[in-house]
Amino acid sequence: MSQIHLSYWNKTAIKDQYQPLKEDLEVDTLIIGGGITGVTCAYCLARKGMEPVLIESGELCEGTTGNTTGKLTVQHEIIYNNIVKKYGWDFAKSYADSQNSAINFIRQAVKKESVDCQFADNTAYVYAILESEVETLEKEYETAVKLGIDAKLKLKPPFPEGCRSILGYSHQAVFHPVRYVNALAKAAAADGAKLYCGTKAVKVEDGDRITVYCENKCRIKAKHLVMATQYPIFDGPNLFFARLFAKRTYGIAVQAKRDWPDGSYINMDDPSRSVRTHVESGKRILIVVGEGHATGRGEEDMEQHFERLMQFAEEIAGIETVLGKWSAQDYETPDQIPYIGRISDHSNVFVASGFGKWGLTNGTLAGNMIADLITDGSCQYEQVYSRKRADYLTSPGKAITGVFTPVGELIKSKLERPENIDQLKLGEGRVIRYQGQKAGIYRDVDNTVTILDISCTHMSTELNFNSAEKTWDCPAHGGRFRTDGTLLEGPPKHSLKVLFHGNYSDLTAEN
Ligand SMILES: Cc1cc2nc3c(=O)[nH]c(=O)nc-3n(C[C@H](O)[C@H](O)[C@H](O)COP(=O)(O)OP(=O)(O)OC[C@H]3O[C@@H](n4cnc5c(N)ncnc54)[C@H](O)[C@@H]3O)c2cc1C
């Protein structure tokens, strides 16, 4: 979870507490990760009469699920033209149908479990501001209609201002993600699932029986292992480190001064702007998310990302009060399609990752698919989400053409020049040279400084300072560390080495 910002969703939900695991276990299915993916999987398995065990390093929804926009839609920006071009019509139809099945699963679970999570049907819009985007939007509309999506295209709508055309999909939805996942976890526990929070997995051994070692020294042997950790903590033969890249995005919730139209909105160009309405006790709250960038590669002053979102909210509806500010990350794949399924043909370790900021449907789908794979040996849509598809080398997508490929970042980070420590401000972090090596310095508000070895403990990429969150972030795979070096999130398993901790004046005297 972010160090200094708590999302509106995490602020406004009362979460059930689950105790840490205190003993070794031998189980049929172990799920690692208490976000929407892991909890959905636990719920599905428990409903099938299994007794899955779920472990979570923090608390439920501590990861990205608690820091989203809360949209449930098959409209994943512009995606269907790309899928048809690359994989054909049947594949694209399966993608749309599978995402729709995830929305319906949530709709039914909300009803069945009487979940109070402000689930509401709406229309999801994607809009073109630039003339150059209009034709792409028209093509996406034609493709969507052919795929059976209830789509409508309008020219020059009154909202958002300056929009040239807008594509709307009916029968989509929004909800409060944390309240939903918390209730689903409770229902899973009532049906036989066992949940343990504050229990971090640090090592996985695949074999006849999978063994997972936890940070607190507990050991779990399992027949099946579900990695619902966003970035898979065990790779197998898949080179995920070169196929998943982390993108960080910012969000705000505001009580607005003026009214704005219902529906979910997202623009086509950069910087991204994603908007929706949340209704809390009869009051409409405006959620604005955007400013996505490769993790570790944002503005020098990261607070500017929040400021620009506020400016946008001000333009749309005027800000009365800011109710929450947050940021989070998700992983993208080269072809915009996640990896869901076994990590290799005969392995009982399962991956669910690369949701590209659409993981509320994708994670729900993954939870369902993996539960079916475990109980029935196969599942619908297995081929669509297979890690074996030829996604990397043949993808025309942004991962290949953009600068921010994980491997590219690894090399690039080594070439960047360090600064010196002169006039380091309170609350500022920088990359410097310390005792002959590149290092990261942070000066805290109490004037103490911490110098860290900023080679990421995952794959040695050099970290960059995130001034909005006061963290050290890895541009290659999204590992993040606190300013004292402790691990916050992502694929690394260890904290950073502290090279110096003391008073700023002692350090400047030393230099
Ligand atoms: C700003 C933003 C807005 C978004 N908005 C939307 C949206 O509107 N609609 C949509 O569909 N998608 C959205 N997404 C994407 C979506 O929210 C995510 O893809 C989804 O929440 C991922 O769920 P998850 O359960 O797989 O991962 P997470 O929610 O991140 O859960 C993974 C959990 O695993 C735990 N964990 C990790 N490693 C370990 C370990 N070693 N041991 C134990 N536990 C571990 C973490 O603590 C975490 O709680 C958004 C993403 C972002 C960044």
Side-chain angles (χ1 to χ4, degrees):
M1 190 183 283
S2 127
Q3 219 176 354
I4 52 175
H5 297 122
L6 189 63
S7 77
Y8 174 79
W9 313 117
N10 273 316
K11 257 188 202 173
T12 55
I14 299 166
K15 295 191 210 175
D16 293 319
Q17 299 300 310
Y18 297 93
Q19 293 307 306
L21 180 67
K22 295 209 171 89
E23 58 188 356
D24 292 351
L25 293 179
E26 203 147 341
V27 300
D28 182 274
T29 300
L30 173 65
I31 301 164
I32 309 179
I36 197 162
T37 307
V39 169
T40 305
C41 192
Y43 175 77
C44 292
L45 287 170
R47 289 205 62 205
K48 285 164 174 259
M50 311 265 299
E51 292 182 354
V53 166
L54 182 151
I55 60 169
E56 158 60 48
S57 57
E59 54 181 39
L60 293 185
C61 295
E62 170 132 344
T64 304
T65 302
N67 293 282
T68 65
T69 323
K71 292 180 177 178
L72 299 168
T73 176
V74 304
Q75 186 191 71
H76 296 172
E77 297 162 58
I78 299 295
I79 189 165
Y80 293 103
N81 282 335
N82 299 345
I83 300 182
V84 169
K85 219 182 283 167
K86 186 163 169 57
Y87 296 115
W89 285 96
D90 288 349
F91 192 107
K93 173 98 178 95
S94 293
Y95 184 86
D97 289 351
S98 61
Q99 298 297 321
N100 200 36
S101 74
I103 301 175
N104 284 333
F105 173 88
I106 295 172
R107 193 176 268 125
Q108 281 158 19
V110 166
K111 221 181 215 175
K112 181 173 182 306
E113 309 299 344
S114 307
V115 184
D116 184 14
C117 65
Q118 295 70 48
F119 182 97
D121 279 353
N122 78 352
T123 301
Y125 298 97
V126 55
Y127 61 92
I129 291 281
L130 306 174
E131 188 57 45
S132 56
E133 295 164 348
V134 172
E135 198 185 326
T136 309
L137 200 62
E138 274 169 18
K139 280 196 189 137
E140 188 76 355
Y141 163 66
E142 285 158 16
T143 305
V145 170
K146 279 194 200 159
L147 293 173
I149 297 170
D150 187 357
K152 288 190 182 55
L153 187 71
K154 269 192 221 156
L155 293 176
K156 298 215 165 49
F159 183 87
E161 211 185 306
C163 167
R164 287 174 196 268
S165 70
I166 192 162
L167 171 60
Y169 294 179
S170 311
H171 318 299
Q172 311 300 295
V174 285
F175 70 162
H176 188 307
V178 179
R179 288 182 189 149
Y180 169 76
V181 171
N182 190 63
L184 209 64
K186 194 176 191 159
D191 278 345
K194 294 202 169 50
L195 286 81
Y196 300 95
C197 284
T199 306
K200 181 173 183 171
V202 288
K203 190 175 160 199
V204 174
E205 280 171 5
D206 195 4
D208 277 353
R209 205 86 182 150
I210 300 150
T211 309
V212 172
Y213 299 87
C214 301
E215 197 173 50
N216 64 5
K217 308 285 180 239
C218 290
R219 194 182 60 181
I220 308 170
K221 283 188 182 287
K223 191 169 166 208
H224 306 101
L225 171 65
V226 184
M227 295 187 291
T229 47
Q230 269 219 321
Y231 191 94
I233 67 167
F234 181 75
D235 199 305
N238 297 292
L239 305 179
F240 286 130
F241 70 86
R243 300 167 82 186
L244 289 167
F245 58 109
K247 211 159 175 192
R248 200 140 193 95
T249 309
Y250 302 76
I252 56 169
V254 305
Q255 190 83 65
K257 286 184 181 151
R258 304 186 299 275
D259 217 7
W260 69 95
D262 267 332
S264 295
Y265 298 83
I266 192 160
N267 63 344
M268 287 172 68
D269 60 338
D270 279 335
S272 52
R273 295 284 180 265
S274 179
V275 175
R276 62 157 283 203
T277 308
H278 171 69
V279 181
E280 187 76 35
S281 311
K283 275 196 184 152
R284 295 176 87 231
I285 287 161
L286 178 68
I287 309 288
V288 179
V289 170
E291 292 283 311
H293 61 79
T295 299
R297 291 279 172 209
E299 292 283 333
E300 203 158 293
D301 175 5
M302 298 264 210
E303 275 293 334
Q304 284 192 17
H305 294 297
F306 287 119
E307 276 161 29
R308 284 202 284 265
L309 290 184
M310 306 264 232
Q311 203 181 322
F312 185 75
E314 187 62 48
E315 283 162 20
I316 295 178
I319 299 176
E320 181 79 47
T321 328
V322 177
L323 303 171
K325 264 165 117 183
W326 62 93
S327 84
Q329 70 195 27
D330 205 355
Y331 289 84
E332 299 194 350
T333 65
D335 61 359
Q336 298 174 273
I337 295 168
Y339 305 119
I340 303 171
R342 293 178 195 279
I343 60 156
S344 63
D345 286 352
H346 303 293
S347 174
N348 279 329
V349 179
F350 299 85
V351 63
S353 190
F355 296 154
K357 285 185 274 154
W358 297 109
L360 297 178
T361 51
N362 274 314
T364 300
L365 177 67
N368 275 273
M369 284 175 61
I370 294 173
D372 286 350
L373 282 168
I374 289 170
T375 53
D376 308 342
S378 64
C379 68
Q380 211 180 354
Y381 311 120
E382 200 175 347
Q383 295 314 314
V384 174
Y385 297 94
S386 167
R387 80 210 187 280
K388 289 198 283 188
R389 64 184 190 271
D391 57 356
Y392 207 107
L393 296 174
T394 55
S395 272
K398 47 194 163 184
I400 302 299
T401 52
V403 191
F404 302 117
T405 65
V407 177
E409 282 301 323
L410 222 155
I411 300 160
K412 193 165 171 237
S413 73
K414 302 286 178 208
L415 304 174
E416 284 165 347
R417 295 175 73 82
E419 299 174 62
N420 59 38
I421 62 162
D422 292 349
Q423 291 166 2
L424 184 71
K425 294 193 204 93
L426 297 178
E428 188 185 346
R430 270 184 211 170
V431 178
I432 57 162
R433 190 160 286 282
Y434 181 73
Q435 295 181 341
Q437 72 174 88
K438 261 187 176 181
I441 186 168
Y442 175 70
R443 184 176 177 187
D444 214 335
V445 285
D446 64 0
N447 215 20
T448 53
V449 289
T450 306
I451 301 182
L452 302 168
D453 177 347
I454 47 160
S455 285
C456 181
T457 54
H458 178 224
M459 292 185 76
S460 298
T461 313
E462 262 149 32
L463 307 171
N464 290 324
F465 188 66
N466 173 339
S467 58
E469 303 287 337
K470 310 287 184 224
T471 53
W472 290 97
D473 296 354
C474 175
H477 303 102
R480 300 180 65 233
F481 301 84
R482 292 189 176 88
T483 50
D484 65 0
T486 52
L487 177 61
L488 196 55
E489 67 173 319
K493 297 199 177 66
H494 306 289
S495 295
L496 299 173
K497 191 170 157 198
V498 178
L499 303 174
F500 175 90
H501 181 76
N503 202 281
Y504 181 62
S505 47
D506 293 345
L507 184 73
T508 42
E510 192 183 292
N511 277 268

